[in-house]
Amino acid sequence: MVNVAIVYYSASGTVQAMAERLEQAATAAGAQVRRRHVKEIAPTEAIDANPAWRAHVDATADEPVATPDDLVWADVVLLGSPTRFGNVTSQFQQFVDTLGPLWAEGKLADKVYSAFTATQTAHGGQEETLLSIHTAVMHWGGIVVAPGYTDPLKFADGNPYGVSHVTGPDNDAPLGDAQLDALDHLAQRAISVAEKLAG
Ligand SMILES: Cc1cc2nc3c(=O)[nH]c(=O)nc-3n(C[C@H](O)[C@H](O)[C@H](O)COP(=O)(O)O)c2cc1C
């Protein structure tokens, strides 16, 4: 059985919804799944100033937070972050920056990795964020399994680097069929490649 860790940050729930869809798809594909939100490190004043952020923090307060061991456990790691100024969030990066000891021991290598993100605007930096995640994975010796255009459905969501969603002017556009299908495909493809690697 393939172990899948879905490790992500979300402030207002969009990337959380993407992670939940990946969890459903990976479970349906027969994998064991750990879905883990990275720890919130923003000041309380900043969170309180944004009702959607406060609501998400409260709604996820009882969920387990990501630990480095989740990556050691996993055969497949699906990494997600909202886009912030064309890059990952500081919360996501802070988690990545705790992984030095595991990197030094080679314990992040030889696993399958793929990535997902959300932006407010269509050209707001999705590919930059996904490539930033891939860059860290390459330092670890991980195996980047991008979706490419390996299925016709990828011509609907249109992102060969990972899966992405545009939240729109009010930052609340729900995931559409193209994104849901692309998330299912991402999970299924990563698991399929991990099974081939395991022989
Ligand atoms: C400080 C900050 C920077 C952002 N930078 C970008 C950006 O560069 N491009 C973009 O399209 N959206 C940007 N956004 C919008 C977020 O990407 C969007 O709110 C996020 O993807 C929603 O995901 P979440 O609901 O999981 O937090 C930014 C939002 C904040 C708060």
Side-chain angles (χ1 to χ4, degrees):
M1 186 178 270
V2 174
N3 290 347
V4 176
I6 304 165
V7 175
Y8 62 100
Y9 174 76
S10 180
S12 51
T14 305
V15 173
Q16 173 91 12
M18 298 176 82
E20 289 172 356
R21 181 70 178 204
L22 288 168
E23 178 181 22
Q24 289 171 14
T27 302
Q32 292 196 96
V33 182
R34 291 186 188 179
R35 180 176 54 78
R36 298 290 186 263
H37 201 297
V38 305
K39 191 174 163 189
E40 182 57 83
I41 56 172
T44 302
E45 314 84 81
I47 297 169
D48 287 343
N50 180 333
W53 195 358
R54 167 48 63 197
H56 178 70
V57 169
D58 292 346
T60 57
D62 294 334
E63 294 194 2
V65 296
T67 67
D69 177 65
D70 293 322
L71 274 68
V72 175
W73 169 84
D75 308 299
V76 170
V77 185
L78 305 177
L79 297 168
S81 171
T83 292
R84 293 274 188 273
F85 305 123
N87 213 320
V88 296
T89 58
S90 57
Q91 292 88 343
F92 180 85
Q93 190 61 42
Q94 196 273 342
F95 177 77
V96 167
D97 290 351
T98 67
L99 300 176
L102 291 181
W103 161 78
E105 294 173 38
K107 289 188 174 171
L108 303 175
D110 302 340
K111 300 171 186 293
V112 167
Y113 294 84
S114 207
F116 56 106
T117 190
T119 58
Q120 190 162 10
T121 61
H123 299 284
Q126 295 179 343
E127 287 97 334
E128 297 295 335
T129 302
L130 295 170
L131 292 175
S132 293
I133 295 173
H134 292 171
T135 297
V137 170
M138 287 189 278
H139 279 253
W140 303 338
I143 301 162
V144 175
V145 176
Y149 296 95
T150 54
D151 187 287
L153 63 83
K154 289 302 296 179
F155 288 95
D157 87 299
N159 193 335
Y161 301 90
V163 178
S164 53
H165 176 58
V166 178
T167 60
D170 296 326
N171 200 38
D172 62 357
L175 300 172
D177 287 345
Q179 288 75 40
L180 294 170
D181 290 348
L183 289 163
D184 292 349
H185 171 262
L186 191 82
Q188 290 158 6
R189 174 170 160 76
I191 291 166
S192 165
V193 172
E195 286 171 340
K196 287 176 185 160
L197 285 170

